Amino acid sequence: MTTGKILAKYEYQPAKIEKGYANQTLYINLSDRTIKAKPVTEQMKQIFTGGRGFGLWYLWNAVSGDTKWNDPENEIIIAGGPICGITQYPGSGKAAVVTLSPLTGCPIDNNVGGYFAPLLKFSGWDALEIQGKADKDVIIFIDGNKGLVTIEEADEGHDDTHLIAEELTEKYADSEEDKRNISVVSSGRGAENTLIGILNVSFYDVKRKAVRVKQAGRGGSGTVFRDKKIKAIIVKYKGVTGDSNNPADKEKIINAAIRLHREIFELDKLQNRMREVGTAHLVGIMNDYDLLPVMNFQYGSHPDAVKITSEVFREKYFTQNVPDNCWHGCSLSCAKAVDNYEVKTGPYKGQKVCVDAAEYETIAAVASNCGIFDPEYVIEANFYCDTYGLDTISFGNIVGFAMECYERGIINKEITGGLELKFGNAEAALELLHQMGRGEGFGEIAGQGVKRLREYIIEKTGADPAFLRDISMEVKGLEVSMYVSKESLAQQGGYAFANKGPQHDEAWLIFMDMVNKQIPTFEDKAEALHYFPVFRTWFSLQGLCKLPWNDIIPADNAITNEPHKIPAHVQNYVDIFTGVTGKNITREELLLQSERVFNFQRIFNLKMGRGTREYDRPPFRLMGPATKEEYESRAERYDKQLKELGYDIEGKTTEEKMTMLRQYRESQFEKLVDAVYKRRGWDKNGVPTLETVKKLGIDFPDVVELISRYRE
């Protein structure tokens, strides 16, 4: 790919970072080619902190309740946060990406690694805010050393990420050594042809001498990116040091970092082995606890799951003893890779590539959820999803749903264009993936997401809408991430109540609830569903990765008063925020930062015509067995539960017992909804009360006017 003429240019004096902030945002309007600086006010920092908070605030002011994802006024905002870019504490290089989702119509946020957010900040910008649409493909280039921003024509070139990022890194680097100072944001052809597009954010792996990418994967941000005719965004900045954030108290940061590094080096090999296998360690654990999605979430385990566990990937595929960190200083080093993988299908067949190693979510989605247990298929699908710019979680849900519909005779080859979409058919799954990339055949339809695929099948076949809703694994239009929640009421709520849709980064409570029995009452579950979504929001305000919080834990954590919160690590976060910003906060004030943004995002959903109780309802398969086969596969469990609840099941058919269980579980879910809304300070319709927004300091006039429309 080459770049053509410069369409717009903006020169600036790079701002000096002060206590984690550049105090300005780079605004670009692609329609009229405006490039300008916008101030980051003290009020913004006080109320929205950074990262996702900044993104939601900019987007709120850019769109109306009628704005659609592909309208020019929709924005893409990429922002780090005050902590983003420190090199002492693991997991400190994250960016939050915020836009209106093509799948949900509401704000979607993603927390993504790679070097973009830190280099953007050190180039003098807390956030990048992009609005409008170009009339032809463009590249945005930010040179943080020269103080130069350009919008350039993107001449004909590659359409997919692994080539775009590689070529642009080569083009804009002055030397091999300079490649580490460049990060490219891009997507692929699949993002143009589906609603499940991702953004890939690059970093240069100096050991491998390869450009690698991390993904902002959920909700279609890559689709918005390509709809705006953005081919790539490049940031270049040379001069990163441990002091680039100009922190208020560097020693405070270092002391917290030393504690965590010591834990990682001493305990990771005894705990989750993140440095060896990354999040893939979860495959075997989830299978053992009947929580691994199998065949469109029908089941929670499978004998062949041993073929796709972390042990298989570690022994045969993941390169070992390489520092796999996606930002400087991260000793957790979980960004594993498969080197020199020879592609077997599609347009890149025969080429050898470096594949961002399969995370747990990807393995479960593209493999077990589709009844496929082949590690090389996982790598192949992972590579093409990334380079085409497609979300692996959505892809796996789409294929699993289509396969179940095919096997139940709801759809046939006439609908699928000849594809035999049976569980276990890896060849058909890959062909569907390539069709999504090209925007052709059944792939063009399937690529619109599970919700729209369900509606298409109902229209074409007359299938039972209620049954298809039961088995289509989406909430709010977003596909469900990879945990079987049938036996965890708290996790059902975690998925259903999540602001952006059913993503585990907001609330992952299965082990607390189902395995460890730590939250037995409705009040306990409600407290967990208040605390953890709020606490987890904090990472995306700061530019932090969640994994160093609870994928490594102190040796004495079990004897603390609240081991599920990992209090020593929460204190680390208090210390590093204080160390960077100079603001002496408490744990309670840390939570308040998050609670403001969490509730503001809920109110944003209201602005977009959603965000009430009716949108917080999951498909029944998230609550219990939706089919006779599911019930009978775990009949001993379900029969025992019904007996303990006082039901007389003697002589009852499976269908009759399913009806009993469904009535009970749906009633329990409604009680949970009431308890959680009450704890969060929302009314029975899920709307934050006026008292709540005043307490949080987000009672802006337009917010008050909006929620007053819903007042009971």
Side-chain angles (χ1 to χ4, degrees):
M1 179 188 300
T2 59
T3 51
K5 68 178 181 180
I6 294 176
L7 303 174
K9 181 169 70 172
Y10 176 75
E11 296 179 355
Y12 68 99
Q13 184 66 38
K16 179 177 173 59
I17 310 303
E18 290 291 344
K19 299 177 182 178
Y21 289 100
N23 294 308
Q24 61 180 2
T25 288
L26 177 60
Y27 172 84
I28 297 175
N29 190 305
L30 295 170
S31 296
D32 61 16
R33 298 172 185 166
T34 296
I35 308 174
K36 65 180 182 180
K38 293 172 65 172
V40 169
T41 66
E42 286 302 315
Q43 182 190 39
M44 277 181 63
K45 291 191 283 188
Q46 177 62 33
I47 296 176
F48 295 104
T49 306
R52 191 205 304 192
F54 283 7
L56 289 169
W57 178 238
Y58 285 131
L59 189 63
W60 173 275
N61 289 293
V63 303
S64 72
D66 297 322
T67 302
K68 302 296 185 287
W69 71 269
N70 54 356
D71 287 340
E73 58 262 36
N74 187 21
E75 295 188 333
I76 295 176
I77 302 98
I78 306 175
I83 295 173
C84 176
I86 64 172
T87 60
Q88 297 85 7
Y89 198 85
S92 301
K94 291 281 190 168
V97 179
V98 177
T99 190
L100 289 183
S101 167
L103 291 171
T104 69
C106 290
I108 191 77
D109 63 275
N110 284 282
N111 209 25
V112 59
Y115 285 10
F116 189 85
L119 297 186
L120 178 71
K121 182 200 282 192
F122 302 146
S123 294
W125 308 105
D126 287 315
L128 172 62
E129 179 186 7
I130 302 175
Q131 194 172 33
K133 286 189 183 186
D135 54 10
K136 60 181 70 175
D137 280 352
V138 297
I139 286 172
I140 297 168
F141 176 53
I142 304 162
D143 189 323
N145 297 110
K146 294 181 178 178
L148 178 66
V149 181
T150 57
I151 304 173
E152 306 172 17
E153 282 187 348
D155 291 344
E156 291 297 320
H158 301 299
D159 292 322
D160 297 322
T161 275
H162 77 290
L163 297 176
I164 294 172
E166 188 176 275
E167 185 170 350
L168 291 176
T169 299
E170 188 75 37
K171 173 181 171 59
Y172 285 92
D174 297 328
S175 63
E176 174 68 24
E177 185 179 356
D178 196 36
K179 291 178 181 178
R180 73 181 69 192
N181 303 317
I182 289 173
S183 182
V184 179
V185 180
S186 63
S187 196
R189 70 182 81 178
E192 296 182 40
N193 296 319
T194 70
L195 298 184
I196 61 170
I198 64 172
L199 290 181
N200 289 295
V201 178
S202 80
F203 64 102
Y204 189 70
D205 188 322
V206 295
K207 293 290 186 182
R208 290 181 170 87
K209 296 188 182 300
V211 177
R212 297 180 58 196
V213 290
K214 303 302 292 180
Q215 292 71 40
R218 307 305 326 269
S221 56
T223 300
V224 179
F225 186 85
R226 290 300 295 129
D227 181 71
K228 290 183 177 297
K229 299 291 186 184
I230 308 171
K231 197 77 169 183
I233 308 169
I234 305 107
V235 65
K236 179 178 181 178
Y237 176 80
K238 181 179 180 180
V240 174
T241 71
D243 295 321
S244 291
N245 255 322
N246 196 15
D249 186 346
K250 186 177 175 182
E251 287 304 309
K252 207 169 191 69
I253 301 168
I254 290 173
N255 289 337
I258 289 171
R259 293 192 294 270
L260 184 59
H261 286 303
R262 183 180 297 119
E263 290 168 11
I264 290 170
F265 284 115
E266 293 178 356
L267 301 173
D268 178 61
K269 59 183 175 291
L270 305 175
Q271 295 179 8
N272 292 328
R273 301 173 296 126
M274 300 293 286
R275 291 161 60 85
E276 294 179 25
V277 297
T279 61
H281 75 276
L282 285 167
V283 176
I285 296 170
M286 295 301 111
N287 192 60
D288 289 344
Y289 282 97
D290 207 30
L291 298 172
L292 178 72
V294 173
M295 300 178 184
N296 196 34
F297 286 78
Q298 291 181 79
Y299 314 109
S301 61
H302 195 282
D304 287 342
V306 294
K307 298 176 182 178
I308 54 170
T309 61
S310 60
E311 286 73 17
V312 173
F313 283 97
R314 181 190 60 201
E315 294 299 323
K316 295 185 177 181
Y317 302 106
F318 291 172
T319 304
Q320 296 295 304
N321 302 313
V322 177
D324 287 316
N325 49 331
C326 64
W327 177 243
H328 304 304
C330 186
S331 55
L332 199 59
S333 197
C334 68
K336 315 314 294 180
V338 179
D339 291 310
N340 298 309
Y341 172 73
E342 185 171 335
V343 183
K344 296 177 173 56
T345 67
Y348 304 110
K349 182 178 180 180
Q351 294 188 20
K352 290 193 174 182
V353 295
C354 175
V355 184
D356 189 48
E359 305 279 358
Y360 165 76
E361 298 289 335
T362 294
I363 297 170
V366 307
S368 63
N369 197 50
C370 302
I372 302 169
F373 299 93
D374 176 357
E376 296 203 6
Y377 155 79
V378 171
I379 299 167
E380 185 88 5
N382 195 165
F383 166 72
Y384 271 113
C385 279
D386 287 353
T387 200
Y388 285 160
L390 299 172
D391 176 12
T392 56
I393 295 175
S394 288
F395 171 75
N397 270 287
I398 291 165
V399 177
F401 175 64
M403 284 178 165
E404 182 170 1
C405 289
Y406 188 93
E407 292 212 343
R408 293 188 183 279
I410 297 169
I411 61 175
N412 54 29
K413 287 185 179 180
E414 184 178 346
I415 296 286
T416 67
L419 292 177
E420 189 174 26
L421 288 174
K422 290 185 176 180
F423 286 120
N425 191 341
E427 183 179 347
L430 286 170
E431 176 54 30
L432 186 58
L433 173 53
H434 293 309
Q435 288 184 8
M436 288 184 191
R438 298 189 300 266
E440 297 176 358
F442 187 59
E444 182 178 14
I445 299 160
Q448 305 309 298
V450 164
K451 182 176 184 290
R452 289 166 179 82
L453 177 58
R454 178 182 75 237
E455 292 166 352
Y456 174 84
I457 291 171
I458 292 168
E459 179 186 344
K460 291 293 183 182
T461 69
D464 178 6
F467 176 68
L468 286 194
R469 181 66 192 102
D470 281 349
I471 68 168
S472 53
M473 305 305 287
E474 58 84 13
V475 183
K476 301 180 175 71
L478 184 70
E479 289 77 20
V480 179
S481 70
M482 292 290 119
Y483 302 93
V484 174
S485 61
K486 292 173 183 172
E487 303 307 310
S488 172
L489 181 59
Q491 187 59 45
Q492 294 162 28
Y495 275 147
F497 309 148
N499 280 323
K500 64 185 168 191
Q503 176 70 354
H504 57 283
D505 65 350
E506 202 167 291
W508 192 85
L509 299 172
I510 283 181
F511 266 61
M512 280 184 68
D513 188 30
M514 189 191 95
V515 178
N516 298 327
K517 312 293 185 186
Q518 292 170 297
I519 44 177
T521 69
F522 284 110
E523 290 72 21
D524 293 332
K525 296 181 201 305
E527 181 59 37
L529 282 164
H530 169 72
Y531 175 86
F532 286 102
V534 166
F535 177 74
R536 284 168 172 258
T537 295
W538 195 77
F539 299 112
S540 65
L541 308 183
Q542 304 293 344
L544 289 170
C545 176
K546 184 276 302 180
L547 299 181
W549 163 55
N550 69 346
D551 278 281
I552 185 75
I553 59 175
D556 62 352
N557 185 67
I559 62 173
T560 62
N561 290 333
E562 297 180 299
H564 48 291
K565 295 182 179 179
I566 306 104
H569 289 177
V570 177
Q571 185 59 48
N572 283 351
Y573 293 127
V574 170
D575 289 348
I576 61 175
F577 181 83
T578 299
V580 170
T581 67
K583 299 176 182 177
N584 289 295
I585 64 166
T586 63
R587 297 185 190 189
E588 291 71 29
E589 289 168 325
L590 179 155
L591 290 173
L592 184 59
Q593 290 178 349
S594 292
E595 194 175 0
R596 290 190 189 104
V597 175
F598 182 81
N599 278 269
F600 186 75
Q601 189 164 353
R602 178 71 173 194
I603 294 164
F604 206 148
N605 285 358
L606 290 173
K607 177 176 179 173
M608 304 314 297
R610 297 162 178 81
T612 50
R613 189 176 185 127
E614 65 184 291
Y615 294 97
D616 288 347
R617 187 165 186 83
F620 182 69
R621 185 168 278 166
L622 277 179
M623 298 191 229
T627 65
K628 182 178 179 181
E629 295 89 343
E630 288 168 75
Y631 188 102
E632 291 181 347
S633 73
R634 307 291 189 273
E636 184 177 350
R637 172 195 298 167
Y638 296 132
D639 285 353
K640 180 182 178 184
Q641 289 176 3
L642 287 171
K643 289 177 182 177
E644 290 175 347
L645 291 168
Y647 287 93
D648 179 8
I649 64 170
E650 189 67 32
K652 296 293 191 295
T653 65
T654 298
E655 289 81 1
E656 289 171 329
K657 290 186 285 188
M658 286 175 62
T659 298
M660 296 175 187
L661 189 63
R662 181 170 188 145
Q663 290 173 345
Y664 175 75
R665 292 200 172 184
E666 288 182 335
S667 70
Q668 294 294 102
F669 182 80
E670 293 303 323
K671 292 177 182 177
L672 179 70
V673 176
D674 289 338
V676 172
Y677 286 0
K678 180 179 179 181
R679 176 59 186 89
R680 290 181 175 179
W682 300 353
D683 67 22
K684 287 187 176 295
N685 199 26
V687 178
T689 66
L690 184 58
E691 292 73 20
T692 296
V693 299
K694 285 183 175 179
K695 179 192 77 171
L696 297 174
I698 55 173
D699 52 333
F700 309 113
D702 50 356
V703 167
V704 173
E705 191 277 329
L706 175 63
I707 65 173
S708 69
R709 300 181 210 163
Y710 295 89
R711 193 170 299 166
E712 295 177 331

